Amino acid sequence: MDSSAWDARYANTSGLVWSAEPNRFVVESVAGLPPGAALDLAAGEGRNAVWLAEQGWRVTAVDFSPVAVERGRELAAARGVPVEWRVADVTAYRPVPGSYELVLISYLHLPAPALAGVLDSARQALRPGGTLVVVGHDLANLRGGIGGPQDPAVLLTPETVVDGLAGLRIRRAETARRPVPTGDGGSVDALDTVVVATRSAD
């Protein structure tokens, strides 16, 4: 899907397409880390980027949808936090190597070769001791979860993500359940890949 399709999706939705609250696995993974420079790749409307900024991180948020980035700016302004916003395609975007204590990739779904390129750039962007967090819809979600892309070619598994993180220490790699509220007040589980890895302190 190209940026114009996402622009249309965002523009045709009143309010935020996604929640303004951060992803639960992002919150879990970042807990206890001392704030520093953070890079949010494919940031969407900025819910995680803005939350990170509220925790004291110096955040750069990148997304290829100008409409999403503008909504991120509005959310950050409403929350009173600074975030550096960039409109760019993360498959071509090349962050400066060794620049970030935290790199986040949240719900970015691409064919394997493109995803491998993004993971490589993210890995290289880490400073020594830095943390990479990857969260996305798991392949198992097709048969046992709800929502997310229905194309198995773009869904994640812990193994495929870990394969793209050579040289990093894997701290967490699993398929995790995420409750999704239903209209009747209950919930059903979505299945997400969650991977947390760190670069060794050189």
Side-chain angles (χ1 to χ4, degrees):
M1 185 178 286
D2 61 21
S3 60
S4 61
W6 276 104
D7 281 340
R9 181 173 182 180
Y10 288 123
N12 292 329
T13 303
S14 60
L16 296 173
V17 173
W18 316 114
S19 166
E21 299 306 311
N23 174 263
R24 61 185 294 148
F25 300 123
V26 173
V27 174
E28 289 176 10
S29 302
V30 173
L33 296 179
L39 176 64
D40 185 356
L41 294 172
E45 297 165 300
R47 61 178 183 146
N48 293 313
V50 170
W51 178 81
L52 286 168
E54 290 176 328
Q55 311 311 305
W57 292 86
R58 302 183 305 279
V59 184
T60 300
V62 181
D63 199 274
F64 70 171
S65 168
V67 176
V69 167
E70 183 56 34
R71 289 194 174 181
R73 287 194 178 103
E74 293 171 357
L75 182 62
R79 299 275 190 91
V81 292
V83 175
E84 179 182 354
W85 301 95
R86 296 185 183 178
V87 177
D89 184 339
V90 296
T91 63
Y93 181 73
R94 295 293 180 266
V96 177
S99 296
Y100 297 94
E101 279 81 21
L102 174 66
V103 178
L104 170 63
I105 303 172
S106 177
Y107 298 97
L108 174 64
H109 294 279
L110 299 168
L115 180 63
V118 176
L119 290 174
D120 185 59
S121 292
R123 178 180 60 81
Q124 294 188 48
L126 289 175
R127 288 177 176 157
T131 299
L132 173 61
V133 178
V134 181
V135 180
H137 297 287
D138 193 277
L139 180 61
N141 200 56
L142 282 180
R143 62 181 185 275
I146 186 173
Q150 299 301 294
D151 179 0
V154 300
L155 293 170
L156 306 180
T157 68
E159 294 78 13
T160 55
V161 174
V162 168
D163 284 347
L165 302 180
L168 299 187
R169 178 187 175 195
I170 307 302
R171 306 183 67 91
R172 179 181 184 182
E174 65 175 308
T175 299
R177 294 186 176 274
R178 173 175 50 87
V180 177
T182 57
D184 59 4
S187 69
V188 293
D189 285 344
L191 299 176
D192 287 347
T193 289
V194 182
V195 176
V196 181
T198 56
R199 178 179 169 183
S200 63
D202 297 343

